């Protein structure tokens, strides 16, 4: 999920009142952000005519003048001409011919829809308001509540359709998890309960939590005021922002994975692909993998970053103490790595589930990030010396461009550039490389935005459309966001905001499928999110809910 730009640009909304006039363009003709827009922000609807692809038969000729109507009264509040994208060329990635309808001058708070008077078609309704994304942010962050392992999912914290008992707490599961290479040895049993499920399975991998935790921590640090303490978590109302309570659920599991000497176990998993549904029905034994240098590097970095965040909660003595614990555990992991400096090459022995090991380069970058955050927390010269000695091996310097698949390393580089006592030359090398990559050297970033390269206003090159590509989309937006929050190249501030917003709008419905790529978002205002479409096709009570 959750995606730093989605977490940090989201804000909150008025209730939408759906209009009754005209046919809604559910086939994907008129694309808007289904949640809405800030009043002063650029607002561009995308109108499409499929030329090639699965929907090529749905030929469409738009009106030359489009309108914005009130969802309450159907009154016309704005109208203007549409503009052919790229002089009427077909967009290669979608197969669509596209027009843009810019209605940025409309800044009045309210609920609206885009209307094509020639074809009597309208968009989904949307809101203009100062807080149009608050509910989206809340629901997106609450996704992690549903990922909790060993947690009873019940009212009032989850909807009835998602209710389930606490999972993986049975015999030879997470409360008494055994070494995968000694499955009959009761002496190896450890309580490794808690944490989040990985993704499409119930396993838990230390290395795979690295990027998401750094991004969630960074999201909170960037805009702490956006995160409330009333998001209907069991911990709500404890004087700690709920995003940090959710992060703490995962950190508590990582603390269990760290051993007394500082080394960190690699995973908790079934041995093959055993499973059951719902999660509480899964009684398969689960085992842990050995301590590895890679998992220790990951946890060292995560704990050091999290320590800084929790120690910043002025007046919250419990969480400050928790941050101090995290810092001591990060230092313990660092000491373990000094004694065990080699890069691990764990072969996943005993398991057929996913291999948790990462490359030597990734391990090096995680240790670099650990040094950055440890220095930030302690001001110890040891950590600064290590960070300054290793920053130049990062791929953004080796390849001379910054890209969306290494966000945690890039954030650590920028963090290093902000630290006191860092060499002025190193600061300049980092910020200069980033500015140059975003503005000049990378045709995927500002040059693509300024040239209107993407018909749907969120460019990503063909080869990056891989499994999980929406995550990459959001991280491209985060590159622009980092230009803003680090106050770099301020003369382009308006461009960075608009470019970053394009990736947000893409995920909210301005995409070729006209879908909100955040599922189950109907209560936040989405008319056409993934889950709602699934139910429209197959009806309720399907495997989606089971």
């Amino acid at each position: 999920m959750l995606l730093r730009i989605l977490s940090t640009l989201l804000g909150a909304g008025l209730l939408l009142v759906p209009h009754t006039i005209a046919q809604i363009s559910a086939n994907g003709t008129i694309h808007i952000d289904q949640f809405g827009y800030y009043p002063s922000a650029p607002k561009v609807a995308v109108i499409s005519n499929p030329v090639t692809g699965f929907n090529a038969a749905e030929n469409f000729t738009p009106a030359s003048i489009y309108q914005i109507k009130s969802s309450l009264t159907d009154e016309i509040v704005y109208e203007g001409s549409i503009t052919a994208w790229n002089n009427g060329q077909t967009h290669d990635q979608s197969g669509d011919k596209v027009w843009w309808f810019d209605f940025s001058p409309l800044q009045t708070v309210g609920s609206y829809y885009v209307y094509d008077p020639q074809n009597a078609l309208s968009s989904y309704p949307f809101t203009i308001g100062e807080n149009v994304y608050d509910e989206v942010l809340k629901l997106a962050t609450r996704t992690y509540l549903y990922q909790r392992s060993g947690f009873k999912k019940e009212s009032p914290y989850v909807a009835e359709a998602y209710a389930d008992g606490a999972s993986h707490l049975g015999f030879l599961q997470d409360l008494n998890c055994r070494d995968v290479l000694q499955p009959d040895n009761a002496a190896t049993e450890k309580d490794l309960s808690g944490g989040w499920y990985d993704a499409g399975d119930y396993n838990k991998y230390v290395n795979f939590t690295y990027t998401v935790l750094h991004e969630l921590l960074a999201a909170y640090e960037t805009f702490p005021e956006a995160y409330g303490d009333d998001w209907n978590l069991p911990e709500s109302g404890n004087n700690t922002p709920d995003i940090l309570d959710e992060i703490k659920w995962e950190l508590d599991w990582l603390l269990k994975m760290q051993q007394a000497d500082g080394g960190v176990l690699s995973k908790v998993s079934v041995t093959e692909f055993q499973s059951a549904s719902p999660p509480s029905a899964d009684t398969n034994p689960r085992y842990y993998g050995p301590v590895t240098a890679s998992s220790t590097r990951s946890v060292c970095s995560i704990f050091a970053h999290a320590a800084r965040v929790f120690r910043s909660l002025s007046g919250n003595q419990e969480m400050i103490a928790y941050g101090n614990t995290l810092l001591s555990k990060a230092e313990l992991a660092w000491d373990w790595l000094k004694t065990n400096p080699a890069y691990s090459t764990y072969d996943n022995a005993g398991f057929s589930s996913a291999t948790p090991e990462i490359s030597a380069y990734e391990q090096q970058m995680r240790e670099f990030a650990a040094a950055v955050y440890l220095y930030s927390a302690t001001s110890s010269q040891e950590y600064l010396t290590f960070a300054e000695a290793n920053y130049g091996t990062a791929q953004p310097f080796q390849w001379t461009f910054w890209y969306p698949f290494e966000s945690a390393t890039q954030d650590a580089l920028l963090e290093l550039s902000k630290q006191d006592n860092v060499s002025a030359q190193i600061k300049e090398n980092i910020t200069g490389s980033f500015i140059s990559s975003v503005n000049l050297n990378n045709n995927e970033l500002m040059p693509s935005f300024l040239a209107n390269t993407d018909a749907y206003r969120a460019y990503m090159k063909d080869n990056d459309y891989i499994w999980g590509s929406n995550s990459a989309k959001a991280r491209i937006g985060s590159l622009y966001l980092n230009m803003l929050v680090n106050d770099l190249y301020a003369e382009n501030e308006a461009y960075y905001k608009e470019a970053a917003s394009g990736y947000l709008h893409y995920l909210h419905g301005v995409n070729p499928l006209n879908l909100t790529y955040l599922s189950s978002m109907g209560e936040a205002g989405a008319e056409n999110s993934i889950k709602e479409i699934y139910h429209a096709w197959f009806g309720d009570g399907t495997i989606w809910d089971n």
Side-chain angles (χ1 to χ4, degrees):
M1 158 181 202
L2 283 192
L3 312 168
R4 186 175 172 195
I5 184 170
L6 293 178
S7 297
T8 53
L9 293 185
L10 303 174
L14 304 170
L15 291 176
L16 294 176
V17 181
H19 58 89
T20 56
I21 191 171
Q23 176 186 354
I24 290 180
S25 172
N27 66 343
T29 299
I30 305 174
H31 312 257
I32 48 88
D33 186 313
Q34 294 178 30
F35 304 111
Y37 304 86
Y38 292 125
S40 61
K43 308 170 193 70
V44 179
V46 174
I47 302 107
S48 62
N49 172 35
V51 177
T52 62
F54 72 93
N55 57 347
E58 300 172 6
N59 192 265
F60 177 72
T61 301
S64 59
I65 301 294
Y66 264 53
Q67 300 169 340
I68 303 293
K69 290 189 173 186
S70 166
S71 293
L72 296 175
T73 66
D74 292 318
E75 174 189 3
I76 299 171
V77 297
Y78 182 82
E79 65 180 8
S81 300
I82 65 173
T83 303
W85 173 79
N86 202 15
N87 296 316
Q89 297 299 307
T90 298
H91 180 231
D92 288 342
Q93 291 179 333
S94 65
D96 295 340
K97 185 176 180 179
V98 161
W99 296 260
W100 289 357
F101 175 45
D102 189 336
F103 57 101
S104 301
L106 179 62
Q107 299 188 11
T108 305
V109 171
S111 178
Y112 305 97
Y113 61 96
V114 180
Y115 184 61
D116 181 322
Q118 175 179 295
N119 295 286
L121 282 179
S122 63
S123 71
Y124 294 109
F126 62 90
T127 295
I128 294 177
E130 292 291 350
N131 303 308
V132 289
Y133 305 123
D134 279 2
E135 192 67 12
V136 186
L137 174 60
K138 171 184 173 181
L139 294 175
T141 304
R142 276 176 48 81
T143 296
Y144 292 95
L145 174 72
Y146 293 85
Q147 292 293 105
R148 289 187 183 187
S149 178
F151 169 75
K152 186 176 183 180
K153 300 173 179 68
E154 59 183 347
S155 177
Y157 307 116
V158 304
E160 183 178 352
Y162 299 100
D164 190 26
S167 66
H168 303 101
L169 300 179
F171 179 63
L172 293 184
Q173 293 191 309
D174 292 6
L175 288 173
N176 54 342
C177 192
R178 293 183 180 180
D179 184 341
V180 70
L181 296 181
Q182 303 179 68
D184 298 324
N185 185 355
T188 68
E189 290 181 4
K190 299 179 184 293
D191 177 1
L192 301 176
S193 57
W196 298 322
Y197 306 135
D198 174 53
D201 56 51
Y202 306 137
N203 302 331
K204 301 182 293 189
Y205 305 86
V206 169
N207 283 334
F208 298 169
T209 199
Y210 171 81
T211 298
V212 67
L213 281 174
H214 275 300
E215 289 186 329
L216 288 172
L217 290 164
Y220 171 76
E221 287 187 294
T222 303
F223 293 116
E225 65 277 7
Y227 299 94
D229 188 23
D230 58 352
W231 288 3
N232 195 29
L233 298 185
E235 300 85 0
S236 293
N238 66 349
N239 196 34
T240 302
D242 281 347
I243 187 175
L244 298 185
D245 285 322
E246 195 57 64
I247 289 170
K248 185 176 181 295
W249 181 270
E250 182 76 346
L251 293 173
D252 287 346
W253 172 66
L254 293 176
L255 285 168
K256 293 178 180 180
M257 295 293 281
Q258 186 175 38
Q259 303 306 287
D261 64 354
V264 180
L265 300 171
S266 54
K267 64 189 285 188
V268 171
S269 172
V270 290
T271 54
E272 297 181 3
F273 303 98
Q274 306 97 321
S275 186
S277 183
S280 63
D282 185 6
T283 60
N284 293 291
R286 289 152 69 84
Y287 303 91
Y288 60 82
V291 166
T292 63
S294 61
S295 57
T296 306
R297 289 182 169 96
S298 295
V299 162
C300 184
S301 172
I302 291 166
F303 283 175
H305 190 178
R308 183 177 71 182
V309 172
F310 281 90
R311 281 158 42 111
S312 73
L313 299 178
S314 177
N316 191 331
Q317 295 305 314
E318 179 183 357
M319 290 303 159
I320 291 173
Y322 184 71
N324 289 333
T325 296
L326 292 171
L327 180 57
S328 68
K329 296 296 185 179
E331 293 176 311
L332 183 63
W334 184 268
D335 289 341
W336 187 95
L337 290 167
K338 289 196 294 184
T339 306
N340 303 271
Y343 299 126
S344 54
T345 57
Y346 174 48
D347 63 0
N348 209 32
F351 294 105
S352 295
S353 53
T355 300
E357 193 57 280
I358 56 176
S359 70
Y361 168 75
E362 291 175 294
Q363 293 183 53
Q364 183 182 25
M365 288 299 97
R366 294 183 185 199
E367 192 167 0
F368 158 74
V372 171
Y373 292 112
L374 280 166
Y375 177 69
S376 173
T378 68
S379 299
S380 170
Q381 184 64 38
E382 174 185 0
Y383 305 126
L384 178 59
T385 298
F386 185 94
E388 289 189 323
N390 286 274
Y391 86 96
T393 60
Q395 287 172 167
F397 294 100
Q398 299 300 311
W399 298 350
T400 69
F401 69 90
W402 297 49
Y403 74 135
F405 296 101
E406 206 172 353
S407 60
T409 295
Q410 293 166 0
D411 283 347
L413 286 167
L414 291 170
E415 187 63 39
L416 177 62
S417 74
K418 295 184 290 187
Q419 297 304 308
D420 293 336
N421 300 321
V422 173
S423 157
Q425 185 61 59
I426 289 177
K427 289 184 178 184
E428 173 59 30
N429 289 346
I430 293 171
T431 58
S433 171
F434 185 39
I435 291 169
S436 179
S437 184
V438 170
N439 290 329
L440 300 173
N441 294 345
N442 191 343
N443 289 331
E444 301 165 38
L445 297 175
M446 275 303 292
S448 73
F449 170 77
L450 294 173
N452 294 329
T453 302
D454 184 36
Y456 288 89
R457 301 175 61 82
Y459 180 72
M460 187 166 71
K461 70 176 186 291
D462 292 353
N463 289 345
D464 289 347
Y465 281 96
I466 57 173
W467 184 90
S469 62
N470 280 341
S471 175
K473 280 273 192 181
R475 287 171 179 147
I476 295 174
S478 289
L479 290 170
Y480 294 114
L481 180 65
N482 267 333
M483 294 296 293
L484 293 166
V485 300
N486 289 282
D487 196 25
L488 300 174
Y489 213 75
E491 52 264 50
N492 273 357
E493 179 179 342
Y495 289 140
Y496 299 144
K497 287 181 178 178
E498 184 174 359
S501 296
Y503 294 87
L504 184 75
H505 300 323
Y506 176 92
L507 297 170
H508 289 179
V510 186
N511 55 65
L513 296 180
N514 208 30
L515 284 173
T516 298
Y517 289 145
L518 305 173
S519 74
S520 306
M521 281 289 179
E523 64 184 282
E527 297 276 342
N528 196 28
S529 73
I530 294 172
K531 180 183 176 182
E532 281 70 31
I533 289 300
Y534 189 91
H535 281 171
W537 289 341
F538 299 110
D540 292 336
T542 65
I543 56 172
W544 185 286
D545 287 328
N546 296 328

